[in-house]
Amino acid sequence: DGGITQSPKYLFRKEGQNVTLSCEQNLNHDAMYWYRQDPGQGLRLIYYSQIVNDFQKGDIAEGYSVSREKKESFPLTVTSAQKNPTAFYLCASSVGHTIQETQYFGPGTRLLVL
Amino acid sequence: RKEVEQDPGPFNVPEGATVAFNCTYSNSASQSFFWYRQDCRKEPKLLMSVYSSGNEDGRFTAQLNRASQYISLLIRDSKLSDSATYLCAVRTNTGGFKTIFGAGTRLFVKA
């Protein structure tokens, strides 16, 4: 059963703590993305990766880091430098990275600060 | 001005009604357009892609107006299950491909 999985579903972060959100896909997609969604706002791009071992900053990369060591996996670390991390984090993937690419989303991780 | 704008609603309609949403975009170089449906506290799910003038899938019709830079989504014979937030997305080549999402339009279909 192909798809995108994200874990955990809910994550709690303490002050000064780094946390890592998992994103895995078995769709054989080359491109993967991380978005953040806040109430009343559109999805904002944090990082994206077009291919293994390569990734690019999106519009709001500060306070976040990623890695792309395997095609299937694109984990996102929310560092202590991100001062307002409470949000709904969505991972997406697409076959490639062209003008007509359709992005498909995982179920999301809701991050809350204690 | 936001790059992609949607009326946040909510739109409250009775079952069986026809409802339409618009989404305006500011970059005339935009080439691909998408409508997603997002249920409360869930991920967006692709409803329809729009590459040329329009697309139709059952009760759903999307239209693209490049001259006025907007896309529309028409839902006919609304069902209770259509209640959701509808996000439009616009893909643009601005020195790199980028997808920009609107904040969404909320729809409530009442019995």
Side-chain angles (χ1 to χ4, degrees):
Chain A
D1 203 12
I4 304 170
T5 57
Q6 290 186 242
S7 62
K9 187 172 181 179
Y10 295 97
L11 186 57
F12 298 92
R13 193 190 93 163
K14 296 179 181 178
E15 291 284 340
Q17 188 180 38
N18 292 353
V19 292
T20 297
L21 285 60
S22 168
C23 177
E24 304 277 332
Q25 54 97 2
N26 61 4
L27 300 168
N28 200 34
H29 286 176
D30 282 325
M32 297 186 74
Y33 311 81
W34 273 105
Y35 290 92
R36 168 181 173 142
Q37 187 176 35
D38 294 278
Q41 297 192 39
L43 280 65
R44 292 185 289 168
L45 183 65
I46 304 172
Y47 269 97
Y48 67 97
S49 168
Q50 297 182 54
I51 201 165
V52 176
N53 292 322
D54 180 68
F55 50 82
Q56 307 293 330
K57 291 183 178 180
D59 299 318
I60 55 164
E62 185 174 350
Y64 300 97
S65 65
V66 294
S67 63
R68 186 86 187 276
E69 296 175 1
K70 297 186 300 181
K71 187 175 185 176
E72 304 79 25
S73 179
F74 191 39
L76 173 74
T77 297
V78 184
T79 74
S80 57
Q82 172 50 243
K83 296 307 178 190
N84 185 23
T86 297
F88 188 37
Y89 290 86
L90 289 157
C91 177
S93 70
S94 61
V95 173
H97 192 67
T98 66
I99 191 62
Q100 290 195 337
E101 289 301 336
T102 301
Q103 296 180 17
Y104 298 92
F105 288 87
T109 292
R110 205 163 290 275
L111 177 61
L112 299 166
V113 176
L114 296 177
Chain B
R1 182 187 174 188
K2 291 182 181 178
E3 293 183 83
V4 177
E5 289 198 81
Q6 296 183 251
D7 181 343
F11 285 62
N12 294 289
V13 302
E15 269 189 297
T18 296
V19 62
F21 314 132
N22 278 349
C23 169
T24 59
Y25 60 94
S26 60
N27 191 331
S28 59
S30 300
Q31 297 182 37
S32 300
F33 308 87
F34 309 88
W35 282 103
Y36 286 82
R37 171 200 169 118
Q38 186 173 26
D39 292 296
C40 188
R41 305 179 77 80
K42 300 284 190 179
E43 75 273 26
K45 293 188 176 176
L46 181 70
L47 186 63
M48 196 170 295
S49 305
V50 186
Y51 300 120
S52 57
S53 61
N55 196 3
E56 183 172 329
D57 183 4
R59 297 183 293 108
F60 298 85
T61 300
Q63 295 281 349
L64 169 62
N65 185 318
R66 287 190 185 273
S68 300
Q69 295 184 198
Y70 73 87
I71 55 172
S72 62
L73 178 67
L74 181 78
I75 306 174
R76 289 181 296 276
D77 189 22
S78 298
K79 313 291 185 190
L80 294 176
S81 58
D82 293 334
S83 298
T85 297
Y86 292 84
L87 309 179
C88 74
V90 175
R91 194 154 172 86
T92 302
N93 187 359
T94 53
F97 301 120
K98 185 175 178 180
T99 301
I100 301 167
F101 289 82
T105 296
R106 295 198 72 185
L107 171 67
F108 292 103
V109 181
K110 308 168 294 183

